[in-house]
């Protein structure tokens, strides 16, 4: 698709929210899917970058990203009305069982990106939802109030204690989840750095609750052709871009 930039706004230090109007617009977008984005006008960088679909509003796609290298640096300079090429939606998103009544979303840093769209899907099914959102400092959570008032409970933490509870978000989640009656109507969804996902998967195993994790990986094609984003699972190597990026938490061999 060719997409027009509607807005490309910095919402926190080095974190941008990009709004695109794709033409044609994808018929369906599942929470947890991603798009491959051409970050610059020319061929440098030559490869597209993978970004979770943050939200879909009025036939427009939003992407939340952090500037970490040349590609995202180029993307941060794109202006209103610029044209950007993208492919998507791609990959396997989150699943929402019909019997589910409680959802716990665990996000680390920019791993919160796919959860705005997920929150919309959960709210439409009247599922009680809590978002646990952690980052290193308050600056990285500067825009978190955008998530308030959306019918979900919100718990935030920072590594340095500058906002919310002090500590890793999985540890905060562990303390709070022990207050609940955990059963098969509950599910955990996590996205963030790999150590955080591994800890979330262990917690799911200990509490015997089902969980899904969205993996981050560098991708060259995003279509499953290059085999550059494989991850080892209980059934062998699988492609993050094709069989993922969302996997059952207990299927990933973390060590």
């Amino acid at each position: 698709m060719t997409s027009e930039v509607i807005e490309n706004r910095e919402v926190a230090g080095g974190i941008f929210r990009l709004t695109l109007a794709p033409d044609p617009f994808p018929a369906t977008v599942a929470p947890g899917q991603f798009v491959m984005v051409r970050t610059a006008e020319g061929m440098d960088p030559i490869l597209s970058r993978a970004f979770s679909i943050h939200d879909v509003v009025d036939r427009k796609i939003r992407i939340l990203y952090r500037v970490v290298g040349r590609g995202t640096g180029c993307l941060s300079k794109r202006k209103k009305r610029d044209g950007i090429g993208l492919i998507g939606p791609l990959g396997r998103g989150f699943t929402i069982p019909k019997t589910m009544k409680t959802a716990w979303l665990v996000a680390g840093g920019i791993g919160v990106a796919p959860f705005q769209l997920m929150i919309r899907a959960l709210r439409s099914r009247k599922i009680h939802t809590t978002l646990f959102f952690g980052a290193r400092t308050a600056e990285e959570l500067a825009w978190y109030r955008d998530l308030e008032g959306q019918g979900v409970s919100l718990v935030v933490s920072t590594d340095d204690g500058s906002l919310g509870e002090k500590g890793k978000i999985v540890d905060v989640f562990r303390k709070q989840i022990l207050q609940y009656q955990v059963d098969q109507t509950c599910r955990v969804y996590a996205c963030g750095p790999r150590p955080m996902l591994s800890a979330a998967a262990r917690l799911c195993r200990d509490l015997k609750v089902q969980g899904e994790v969205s993996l981050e990986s560098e991708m060259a094609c995003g279509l499953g052709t290059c085999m550059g984003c494989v991850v080892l699972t209980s059934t062998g190597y699988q492609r993050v871009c094709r069989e993922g990026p969302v996997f059952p938490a207990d299927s990933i061999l973390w060590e």
Side-chain angles (χ1 to χ4, degrees), residues 9-17 65 138-144:
R9 182 166 67 93
E10 189 171 15
V11 295
I15 298 175
F16 287 73
R17 185 164 54 205
Y65 67 96
E139 183 182 11
E140 296 182 17
L141 293 175
W143 64 280
Y144 86 96

Side-chain angles (χ1 to χ4, degrees), residues 11-210:
V11 295
I15 298 175
F16 287 73
R17 185 164 54 205
L18 172 66
T19 303
L20 300 170
D23 184 22
F25 188 82
T28 58
V29 177
Q33 288 189 298
F34 68 96
V35 289
M36 296 295 293
V37 178
R38 294 292 305 162
T39 58
E41 292 187 45
M43 297 299 290
D44 183 20
I46 190 170
L47 295 177
S48 297
R49 297 292 189 271
F51 298 100
S52 294
I53 298 173
H54 178 56
D55 201 2
V56 178
V57 179
D58 297 329
R59 299 178 64 82
K60 299 179 181 66
I61 289 177
R62 284 180 176 165
I63 296 168
L64 191 72
Y65 67 96
R66 184 199 307 274
V67 176
V68 294
R70 181 170 174 77
T72 47
C74 292
L75 190 61
S76 69
K77 296 178 174 59
R78 305 306 296 272
K79 304 297 184 183
K80 187 175 181 178
R81 297 190 179 87
D82 280 356
I84 291 182
L86 61 85
I87 302 173
L90 301 170
R92 173 186 179 274
F94 297 109
T95 60
I96 306 176
K98 292 181 179 179
T99 57
M100 194 173 72
K101 296 180 180 178
T102 302
W104 294 302
L105 313 181
V106 185
I110 203 65
V112 76
F115 285 145
Q116 176 65 78
L117 188 58
M118 183 61 169
I119 287 171
R120 290 186 183 276
L122 294 168
R123 284 182 59 201
S124 70
R125 303 189 189 193
K126 296 181 172 57
I127 295 172
H128 182 268
T129 303
T130 302
L131 172 62
F132 294 84
F133 183 15
R136 291 172 296 183
T137 66
E139 183 182 11
E140 296 182 17
L141 293 175
W143 64 280
Y144 86 96
R145 294 194 182 278
D146 291 358
L147 298 167
E148 294 182 326
Q150 298 191 31
V152 300
S153 301
L154 181 61
V155 178
V156 300
S157 77
T158 47
D159 293 354
D160 63 0
S162 53
L163 182 65
E165 297 196 41
K166 182 177 181 179
K168 302 294 184 182
I169 193 61
V170 172
D171 296 331
V172 174
F173 174 52
R174 180 185 293 273
K175 288 188 296 184
Q176 296 212 12
I177 197 175
L178 295 177
Q179 304 172 21
Y180 291 88
Q181 181 66 40
V182 178
D183 56 32
Q184 293 304 307
T185 67
C186 306
R187 183 162 290 213
V188 175
Y189 301 91
C191 184
R194 188 178 178 89
M196 188 209 85
L197 298 183
S198 176
R202 287 196 302 271
L203 181 57
C204 289
R205 180 195 61 203
D206 294 344
L207 297 176
K208 296 181 172 58
V209 61
Q210 294 295 311

Side-chain angles (χ1 to χ4, degrees), residues 211-232:
E212 294 185 347
V213 294
S214 178
L215 299 184
E216 298 176 344
S217 178
E218 294 184 358
M219 299 179 187
C221 70
L223 302 172
T225 303
C226 70
M227 305 296 287
C229 63
V230 295
V231 60
L232 186 58

